[in-house]
Amino acid sequence: MTALVTGASGGLGRAIAVALAVAGHDIGVHYRSDAVGAAAAVTDVEAVGRRSAVLHADLAVDDPAGLDRACDDLLDACAAALGAPEVVVLNAFPQHVVAWGDLDTAAWDTYHRGGLRPTTGLLHRAAARLHPGGVVVVISSIEGRRPAPGHTPYSVAKAALDHLTAAAAHEVGSSGIRVVGVAPGLIDREGLENDWPQGVERWSRASALGRPVTASEVAATVAFLASPAASGITGTTITVDAGWSAAPGW
């Protein structure tokens, strides 16, 4: 089996690549700018005995036909190196703080051009190639449901991904293809508590488990949803947030 993971050079994408490799997939490791991270992901995948291929692509393409070609080229490169993917994980997405006062059209376009637009394009192109049993996993965020200050365009774009997951599932379900989403909460990483102590403390106080989630926990959920064990799950987005979204609102 083959899986293509976009944005696989970063912390979560790399964890997803490894979890899918452990589950028996060869991994197409997509990256846009972090070649060093992509190489590290390849090392991790091959350490568990699976094949991998580094796939570079910048999908922030203005021309509509050019974006379609870029998506097709990425899928073709994965197929040539490892075989056509049965699982496609759409993880790559920009994230940065934008103050409300700076939220002009150009700031909105950054998220549309760099995140939402490539995700919708690649989902459509990938689903057209998948055979029955194929799976697309869309990485959303809890901020698609409860936005944070300074994250307005990110939150709005992630909310759109939740609806995209539901809509696409009905469009391609008759072909035996599933589309599922995963919405992570705050993901722990080395140094996070030192870099953002107040935020981690607030999060931990609000979450049912008293802590952030780990990248491996989110990745394990992705691997499960991509597996035959989850064959009846489609059109929904699963929250992985240590119970943060279950906290009382008053």
Side-chain angles (χ1 to χ4, degrees):
M1 298 182 290
T2 299
L4 169 63
V5 181
T6 69
S9 60
L12 178 57
R14 184 170 165 183
I16 291 170
V18 172
L20 289 170
V22 170
H25 295 81
D26 296 328
I27 308 295
V29 175
H30 162 263
Y31 79 100
R32 182 181 65 86
S33 59
D34 185 5
V36 173
V42 164
T43 299
D44 290 347
V45 167
E46 294 180 351
V48 300
R50 303 306 308 185
R51 296 185 302 151
S52 62
V54 173
L55 305 171
H56 175 261
D58 185 350
L59 301 180
V61 179
D62 288 322
D63 173 50
L67 175 58
D68 288 342
R69 285 193 299 272
C71 291
D72 285 338
D73 288 347
L74 176 58
L75 293 164
D76 287 343
C78 184
L82 302 169
E86 294 91 358
V87 174
V88 177
V89 181
L90 303 176
N91 170 67
F93 213 88
Q95 183 182 25
H96 53 272
V97 174
V98 182
W100 179 260
D102 297 328
L103 193 52
D104 56 10
T105 299
W108 280 104
D109 282 350
T110 296
Y111 275 90
H112 182 66
R113 180 176 179 268
L116 186 57
R117 194 163 174 264
T119 302
T120 58
L122 189 53
L123 190 157
H124 188 270
R125 308 303 279 195
R129 298 175 178 226
L130 290 173
H131 298 296
V135 185
V136 179
V137 183
V138 180
I139 304 301
S140 178
S141 169
I142 55 152
E143 290 199 49
R145 302 169 192 183
R146 296 176 64 179
H151 288 186
T152 296
Y154 176 81
S155 301
V156 170
K158 287 294 188 176
L161 293 188
D162 291 344
H163 287 275
L164 174 65
T165 295
H170 280 274
E171 296 286 357
V172 302
S174 61
S175 300
I177 299 165
R178 294 188 295 117
V179 183
V180 290
V182 175
L186 179 64
I187 299 175
D188 201 6
R189 60 169 173 78
E190 185 177 354
L192 177 63
E193 194 166 1
N194 291 328
D195 295 339
W196 195 39
Q198 292 180 339
V200 173
E201 192 277 330
R202 291 198 309 270
W203 177 278
S204 299
R205 189 171 62 246
S207 65
L209 296 181
R211 60 171 178 82
V213 295
T214 66
S216 61
E217 288 173 327
V218 179
T221 304
V222 172
F224 166 71
L225 290 172
S227 73
S231 60
I233 302 175
T234 193
T236 191
T237 298
I238 306 300
T239 301
V240 185
D241 67 355
W244 175 87
S245 56
W250 50 273

